[in-house]
Amino acid sequence: MSQKEPLFSAKNLKLFTEPFNNGNPVTVLVLGICSALAVTVKLQPAIVMGLSVTIVTGFSSFIISLMRNTIPNRIRIIVQLVVVAALVILVDQVLKAYAYEVSKQLSVFVGLIITNCIIMGRIEAFALGNKPFPSLVDGLGNGAAYGMILVIVAFFRELLGSGTLLGFQIIPESWYIKNGGFYENNGLMILPPMALIVLGIIIWVQRSFNKSLVEK
Amino acid sequence: MKALRRYLDKIKPTFSKGGKLGMFHSTFDAFESFMFVPNTVTHKGSHIRDGIDLKRTMSVVVLALMPALLFGMWNTGYQHFMSMGLTEQVSFWQTFWFGFWKVLPIVIVSYVVGLGIEFAFAQSRGHEVNEGFLVTGMLIPLIMPVDVPLWIVALATAFAVIIGKEVFGGTGMNVWNPALLARAFVFFAYPSHISGDKVWIASMIKGEGIIDGFSGATPLAIAANGTGETGANMTVEALQQQMPSVYDMFMGFIPGSIGETSKLAILLGAAILLITGIGSWRIMLATVVGGLGMGYLCNFLAVNPYMELPAYYHLLMGGFAFGAVFMATDPVSASQTNTGKWIYGLLLGIMIVIIRIFNPAYPEGVMLAILLMNTFAPLIDYYVVGANINRRLKRTKVQA
């Protein structure tokens, strides 16, 4: 019988911090790209999406980890899907009840959280072989790291594409050409390709700081 | 010349490895090889080195662009004074200088931003500075509307050089033509500055003294009237009436991007490229054949006046000629094999006419068609090379 580990040991903390750095699900593992393109036009939907995914990843990992010794190996994907789907429906209903406007903006992408590769990836790679608490921490960390990238992309896209942040005007109205200034919003930022380019630049910046990520 | 050479030789050690300013090695090298043919010799194997290296090639292309640039400057002034109804009162030189001072800042901004980024990347990566931007920097102003704000030119140039070229590894590695990428950036990011009737003529967007009945619409914009509901009750003759005459379109007395209007100036440039063997005649010819062929096919199947327009109109409107001569022949982003060049050019001509006629959202199809074909160029080459290998394999089997 091994010694009981403290709840917030260095190992468990590392599970949470690793996704923000060398194990980032979006910029290093390149998972969950589709939704990163779709919901990052504005900051608010991106934050809500990040939170939703964090909750789903965390709790699905936790629940699967609780059941990991009873799930027959051959039908494990079905069981995982049932758990994830149930959580996604819960999140969707909560959003509809308390944040109707945002949930309308996110439209199908809340439902599509179920197909987000990060969730299944964490369950398969971690939760099936680890205890519930580390699984919860790992899931929350990965979801939050995904949310972080979403927020960074959405920050630049909303600021440069609409001149606002969270709906508040940041770039002074008097700068715009229609008010006699020189500035104009960048229409390309609103289009999906620019999300991909911004994401690429984030990956570029991360790799120039962290050479160990560069493939030979 | 001798004095310059001696001076360069004198300061060379300072910039070489271990010298005081060794870190600026690539900058020094760029200037030295710009002024003198480098004295590098191949040491191994038998190679023939031509005196025409990349820098000399680029210089010829820039030279070939000069007629279009000079005419563009004059035409900028001409269109401006025409919109004000003053063409009778101003002299040739007044017209030219007006355009000169409008166009020159765009050229300067494009070169300063682009070369600045090129030098910075070359320094930080320890490479030599690549010459590729010499042509791109001249092409970017020529395909912009004259009234485009300078900060947009700077942003578009930076985007094209960083995302279009440096990310892929610099000159010779880019998938798309960087100049067109800059234009595509402006087109999607700031559509109000590069579409519509008012942006093609200097100061018209500010509403400066426009005489009655002057619209500023480009031939393509007028031709686009020949589709949809307005086109339904119109004959092709009525449409041709609205458009400038064939002579005007050929000579370039029409509104449009700075360098694209005069087909005569572009033909001069094409002659320079073809005589020196720098531009590919296969691509130019194939593009024209593809465009004409698709134009005739549209005549044959015509359901609206735009489709009935004589096929050669497509060569005279918009940037077809400029694109076919200077953009499609870009040796980096076009097909490399000879058969591939024919396929690339033909499809390009066909795509241009298709986008123009069948897509009301984009009156001009040249930019998007070339970018699309650039994307497919490696695929075309791949299959051409594959087919060649298969053909030769078959031949050896018969003999065996």
Side-chain angles (χ1 to χ4, degrees):
Chain A
M1 185 89 188
S2 65
Q3 216 172 10
K4 201 161 167 16
E5 221 182 310
L7 217 48
F8 291 102
S9 64
K11 211 172 105 199
N12 281 349
L13 274 180
K14 194 157 186 290
L15 284 177
F16 187 79
T17 54
E18 189 68 7
F20 287 92
N21 188 18
N22 286 345
N24 192 289
V26 186
T27 61
V28 178
L29 308 178
V30 201
L31 298 175
I33 295 291
C34 328
S35 51
L37 304 188
V39 301
T40 52
V41 177
K42 291 272 160 70
L43 200 49
Q44 195 187 16
I47 293 173
V48 174
M49 184 73 177
L51 283 178
S52 313
V53 171
T54 309
I55 290 166
V56 175
T57 351
F59 285 97
S60 63
S61 282
F62 181 67
I63 294 169
I64 293 292
S65 178
L66 282 176
M67 307 194 291
R68 69 185 187 281
N69 294 327
T70 54
I71 302 173
N73 201 26
R74 294 172 71 177
I75 60 159
R76 70 181 194 283
I77 300 279
I78 298 285
V79 177
Q80 290 163 12
L81 274 179
V82 170
V83 172
V84 177
L87 283 165
V88 169
I89 291 170
L90 277 177
V91 167
D92 193 24
Q93 295 299 321
V94 170
L95 283 184
K96 275 189 181 143
Y98 294 103
Y100 186 63
E101 284 305 313
V102 181
S103 104
K104 261 206 311 202
Q105 281 177 41
L106 287 171
S107 64
V108 303
F109 290 101
V110 177
L112 284 177
I113 292 177
I114 192 171
T115 61
N116 195 319
C117 321
I118 299 170
I119 299 169
M120 295 294 271
R122 285 340 287 176
I123 294 173
E124 281 280 303
F126 196 88
L128 278 176
N130 285 283
K131 287 182 177 162
F133 183 72
S135 299
L136 176 69
V137 172
D138 176 79
L140 288 177
N142 274 284
Y146 163 88
M148 177 188 75
I149 297 296
L150 243 59
V151 167
I152 297 176
V153 175
F155 175 83
F156 288 109
R157 286 184 76 190
E158 184 170 356
L159 182 63
L160 299 175
S162 315
T164 58
L165 280 180
L166 286 170
F168 295 106
Q169 191 72 33
I170 297 291
I171 291 168
E173 286 282 0
S174 59
W175 284 15
Y176 285 92
I177 285 183
K178 60 174 189 281
N179 299 331
F182 65 94
Y183 187 77
E184 192 128 333
N185 285 327
N186 189 327
L188 195 59
M189 278 287 171
I190 310 227
L191 302 174
M194 210 56 195
L196 209 59
I197 293 174
V198 173
L199 202 58
I201 294 174
I202 294 175
I203 294 178
W204 186 6
V205 171
Q206 188 187 14
R207 288 181 180 209
S208 59
F209 280 117
N210 192 339
K211 296 284 182 208
S212 66
L213 292 175
V214 180
E215 292 99 351
K216 283 290 166 319
Chain B
M1 238 19 197
K2 280 252 173 70
L4 185 63
R5 179 73 259 177
R6 239 176 289 136
Y7 176 67
L8 283 175
D9 283 340
K10 204 183 104 196
I11 60 169
K12 194 166 188 171
T14 335
F15 287 99
S16 304
K17 271 211 181 87
K20 225 190 287 174
L21 294 170
M23 55 184 292
F24 292 114
H25 165 73
S26 52
T27 310
F28 174 78
D29 188 76
F31 281 109
E32 189 196 13
S33 61
F34 184 72
M35 290 184 253
F36 293 98
V37 176
N39 58 353
T40 39
V41 187
T42 314
H43 293 290
K44 252 184 181 175
S46 55
H47 293 276
I48 298 172
R49 261 184 196 270
D50 199 326
I52 295 200
D53 59 354
L54 196 54
K55 261 185 192 123
R56 257 46 56 185
T57 310
M58 297 293 176
S59 314
V60 172
V61 182
V62 172
L63 191 73
L65 284 166
M66 280 304 126
L69 177 72
L70 293 176
F71 183 87
M73 286 174 173
W74 177 82
N75 192 45
T76 301
Y78 177 72
Q79 295 293 333
H80 172 72
F81 289 121
M82 197 155 82
S83 75
M84 297 167 74
L86 293 174
T87 38
E88 306 289 309
Q89 286 113 333
V90 292
S91 70
F92 172 81
W93 286 108
Q94 264 179 304
T95 316
F96 180 79
W97 283 117
F98 177 85
F100 181 79
W101 291 116
K102 280 279 174 195
V103 175
L104 191 66
I106 306 180
V107 178
I108 293 176
V109 166
S110 148
Y111 268 115
V112 168
V113 172
L115 286 178
I117 295 171
E118 286 265 358
F119 274 82
F121 267 93
Q123 287 292 359
S124 74
R125 290 176 176 175
H127 288 181
E128 288 166 21
V129 176
N130 278 312
E131 299 82 353
F133 193 75
L134 287 181
V135 170
T136 310
M138 185 52 77
L139 283 173
I140 289 175
L142 290 181
I143 53 176
M144 291 285 172
V146 66
D147 246 2
V148 65
L150 292 179
W151 66 272
I152 290 182
V153 177
L155 207 62
T157 310
F159 178 85
V161 174
I162 297 175
I163 305 292
K165 213 161 77 171
E166 293 303 336
V167 161
F168 292 100
T171 307
M173 309 294 228
N174 44 307
V175 183
W176 301 283
N177 185 320
L180 276 179
L181 216 56
R183 193 180 199 272
F185 178 82
V186 180
F187 187 80
F188 287 107
Y190 305 102
S192 62
H193 290 281
I194 201 163
S195 48
D197 290 347
K198 303 213 159 160
V199 300
W200 309 106
I201 293 170
S203 310
M204 198 166 167
I205 214 164
K206 287 185 228 142
E208 213 171 80
I210 295 148
I211 52 167
D212 286 346
F214 190 89
S215 78
T218 59
L220 277 169
I222 301 171
N225 288 335
T227 56
E229 280 177 30
T230 48
N233 319 315
M234 199 195 269
T235 60
V236 65
E237 286 79 20
L239 187 64
Q240 275 172 300
Q241 286 278 307
Q242 291 179 16
M243 290 172 68
S245 67
V246 172
Y247 174 76
D248 279 358
M249 287 201 286
F250 179 77
M251 294 303 287
F253 307 138
I254 49 172
S257 299
I258 293 168
E260 71 172 15
T261 57
S262 173
K263 311 304 161 317
L264 184 69
I266 293 166
L267 282 179
L268 273 177
I272 297 177
L273 289 187
L274 291 179
I275 290 168
T276 52
I278 283 170
S280 160
W281 61 271
R282 287 186 184 85
I283 293 179
M284 290 187 205
L285 186 64
T287 311
V288 170
V289 169
L292 278 179
M294 193 63 206
Y296 282 123
L297 191 67
C298 285
N299 287 348
F300 186 63
L301 303 168
V303 292
N304 60 38
Y306 197 173
M307 290 175 78
E308 280 178 59
L309 273 183
Y312 65 86
Y313 262 57
H314 284 290
L315 305 188
L316 296 174
M317 292 190 296
F320 191 110
F322 194 85
V325 171
F326 295 112
M327 301 293 203
T329 55
D330 171 9
V332 177
S333 54
S335 280
Q336 307 289 324
T337 53
N338 282 345
T339 321
K341 281 175 181 167
W342 283 108
I343 301 172
Y344 169 86
L346 280 173
L347 286 174
L348 177 58
I350 293 171
M351 287 308 297
I352 291 173
V353 177
I354 288 180
I355 297 176
R356 278 181 177 179
I357 291 187
F358 298 107
N359 195 338
Y362 304 118
E364 174 58 300
V366 176
M367 171 183 80
L368 297 170
I370 295 179
L371 288 175
L372 184 72
M373 287 318 296
N374 282 347
T375 318
F376 281 105
L379 188 73
I380 296 172
D381 279 340
Y382 177 82
Y383 281 109
V384 168
V385 171
N388 200 21
I389 291 173
N390 281 340
R391 198 169 52 243
R392 299 183 76 150
L393 270 181
K394 240 180 235 162
R395 211 186 298 157
T396 57
K397 265 182 205 142
V398 173
Q399 281 167 353

